Amino acid sequence: MVDLVVRSRRAVTPDGEQPAAVSVRGEVIVAVDAYDAPVNAAEDVDLGDVALLPGLVDTHVHVNEPGRTQWEGFATATRAAAAGGVTAIIDMPLNSLPPTTSAEALRIKQHAAAGQCHVDVGFWGGAVPGNAADLSALHHAGVFGFKAFLADSGVPEFPPVDAEQLAGALAAVEALFVVHAEDPYHLHEAAHSPAYADFLASRPADAEHAAVATAIGAARSAGARVHILHLSAASALPLIAAARADGLRITAETCPHYLTLDAEQIPSGATEFKCCPPIRDAANADRLWAALADGLITCVVSDHSPCTPELKRADTGDFAAAWGGIASVQLGLPVIWSAARARGHTLADVVTWMARRPADLVGLTGKGRLAVGADADLVAFAPDARFVVDPGRLHHRHPVTPYAGRELAGVVRTTWLRGRTVTGDRPGGVFLSRDGAAPS
């Protein structure tokens, strides 16, 4: 007897898309059988041609609570994640107050999140000038690794590190480091203007190229594991390829907005498109897609980075004054699927990029796959259904999105977290750590 069996003619398993019946006992997948296999189950759900995916894993989410909960919070961010088929997020250490740069700050954040999470939540620690001595204790407390900025983060309590400080942090603890790679010496003050081209000129591809080189140099010297966050500039790809060919432990991610939005099509004053590093042109996106297809870019994550509508400065359309960040944790799956299928990619490709590889990046080997022994994080996804993005139907705190009005393919019908349907009525997420899960 099992608690739940979910059947689909389009189940995306580690062996590819195939008809299957996925059986769940408690919180774990206990069998993956033929679609029409007889199963003695308390609940038998037949999705037919609606696809069954593993829950997505988003390792780049800014929740901002505590301290800036008016921007976002655990209740709203995780509800949005579940609505988008994401069943696990890793929260970034900055934009909350205090930032997660010590074990005590992690405890404060976990206390704020307790009882609010609709999906499972893990945490990144932060590496900032002067806290190298705190990193070991913070790592021991369960963070999945450490984020560092090489340029201004946008908030004063999370300052950037220089090359020497990054090297010191890498030497202080054996851990995964994730790096915001923009070089401050290649950045320029943006003109106060509603023209996107003026903002883009202030953050050229050279800034990413130089910072990626710095991160690779630090990783080479320390023998450390380094992951390049939200890669926008395709010109940095050869550096990453060469580092990997040399045996360095270097990986990189990109985001839906860099793959699907075009700098040349951004309207004047449309500050909802502002993020750092910036959205570049369509030819650049083509090169990112090619790198994703051949595995040089390993995963696609949201970099969900919301703020209050006032900080987006829609009243003036001033790109220089607007907060940089795109809130898209609910929309990443249909955004990427819509573009991927047009380029000849499959649902199995999307699951690899957005579920299995992000899970593997942080060591969550029980997430991101429909396999025996994995957590029963499941998503019923109608890949051929279409919808128009209505900001009013988004669950994150402030419904500001550059995808408003865009028609997308793929609708999340149901999300199960460890075998239970996520309805938004009762938070059921747990805290994740490198040493296992604990109730939230």
Side-chain angles (χ1 to χ4, degrees):
M1 183 73 175
V2 299
D3 300 308
L4 170 69
V5 61
V6 183
R7 307 173 189 271
S8 170
R9 296 187 183 92
R10 301 187 64 180
V12 182
T13 74
D15 296 323
E17 185 178 318
Q18 59 189 35
V22 176
S23 295
V24 176
R25 183 178 295 117
E27 299 185 343
V28 177
I29 296 171
V30 294
V32 180
D33 295 314
Y35 169 74
D36 56 357
V39 179
N40 184 15
E43 182 180 7
D44 194 320
V45 177
D46 191 342
L47 300 178
D49 291 326
V50 170
L52 180 64
L53 315 182
L56 305 189
V57 177
D58 193 338
T59 54
H60 196 149
V61 177
H62 294 267
V63 178
N64 305 340
E65 186 176 8
R68 291 190 174 96
T69 312
Q70 71 273 25
W71 292 19
E72 185 64 285
F74 283 97
T76 48
T78 59
R79 182 67 186 96
V86 177
T87 52
I89 66 169
I90 311 296
D91 171 65
M92 282 294 170
L94 73 158
N95 299 344
S96 57
L97 294 170
T100 315
T101 54
S102 69
E104 175 59 23
L106 175 63
R107 286 190 286 270
I108 291 170
K109 178 171 282 190
Q110 290 174 327
H111 179 75
Q116 296 199 71
C117 300
H118 295 277
V119 303
D120 292 347
V121 176
F123 303 91
W124 292 109
V128 296
N131 84 324
D134 296 314
L135 299 184
S136 180
L138 184 50
H139 202 227
H140 183 72
V143 298
F144 285 89
F146 299 95
K147 181 175 187 176
F149 272 77
L150 295 179
D152 182 11
S153 72
V155 291
E157 67 277 359
F158 203 97
V161 295
D162 60 23
E164 182 178 354
Q165 291 164 335
L166 177 61
L170 294 179
V173 60
E174 174 62 34
L176 171 61
F177 279 76
V178 297
V179 178
H180 180 119
E182 289 185 288
D183 189 309
Y185 299 105
H186 289 76
L187 300 178
H188 315 295
E189 186 173 351
H192 286 277
S193 164
Y196 183 77
D198 290 340
F199 166 66
L200 180 59
S202 74
R203 305 186 91 94
D206 286 352
E208 285 189 79
H209 190 106
V212 168
T214 296
I216 289 172
R220 187 186 301 275
S221 297
R225 185 176 172 217
V226 170
H227 180 73
I228 306 299
L229 297 170
H230 47 45
L231 185 71
S232 162
S235 63
L237 290 167
L239 293 176
I240 297 168
R244 289 172 65 87
D246 286 345
L248 299 187
R249 295 183 293 167
I250 303 292
T251 52
E253 68 188 35
T254 194
C255 304
H257 37 281
Y258 301 131
L259 293 166
T260 65
L261 302 178
D262 180 355
E264 296 174 354
Q265 302 300 317
I266 295 176
S268 176
T271 54
E272 64 270 24
F273 288 84
K274 181 181 177 181
C275 56
C276 300
I279 295 161
R280 304 191 189 277
D281 60 32
N284 181 83
D286 288 340
R287 293 177 65 190
L288 296 178
W289 276 105
L292 188 61
D294 67 20
L296 183 57
I297 294 175
T298 57
C299 50
V300 179
V301 292
S302 70
D303 189 13
H304 179 78
S305 185
C307 66
T308 61
E310 293 77 18
L311 289 175
K312 272 299 187 183
R313 299 310 301 267
D315 55 338
T316 63
D318 183 348
F319 275 97
W323 174 260
I326 289 176
S328 62
V329 69
Q330 185 172 336
L331 295 172
L333 175 56
V335 166
I336 289 298
W337 169 237
S338 299
R341 72 190 306 196
R343 291 173 177 266
H345 295 292
T346 66
L347 272 177
D349 293 329
V350 173
V351 165
T352 296
W353 302 331
M354 303 187 77
R356 182 178 62 80
R357 284 188 187 157
D360 290 348
L361 174 72
V362 295
L364 290 174
T365 55
K367 298 285 190 185
R369 63 210 79 207
L370 298 182
V372 174
D375 289 351
D377 299 339
L378 314 175
V379 178
F381 182 66
D384 299 320
R386 304 189 70 87
F387 71 104
V388 174
V389 176
D390 174 4
R393 297 179 66 85
L394 299 177
H395 290 279
H396 59 262
R397 189 174 299 280
H398 301 292
V400 176
T401 174
Y403 301 108
R406 177 174 288 215
E407 185 179 56
L408 299 174
V411 174
V412 173
R413 301 292 193 199
T414 308
T415 299
W416 291 265
L417 177 66
R418 287 176 285 102
R420 296 180 180 175
T421 305
V422 181
T423 63
D425 296 330
R426 186 179 64 178
V430 300
F431 291 152
L432 303 170
S433 77
R434 292 177 302 103
D435 301 320
S440 68

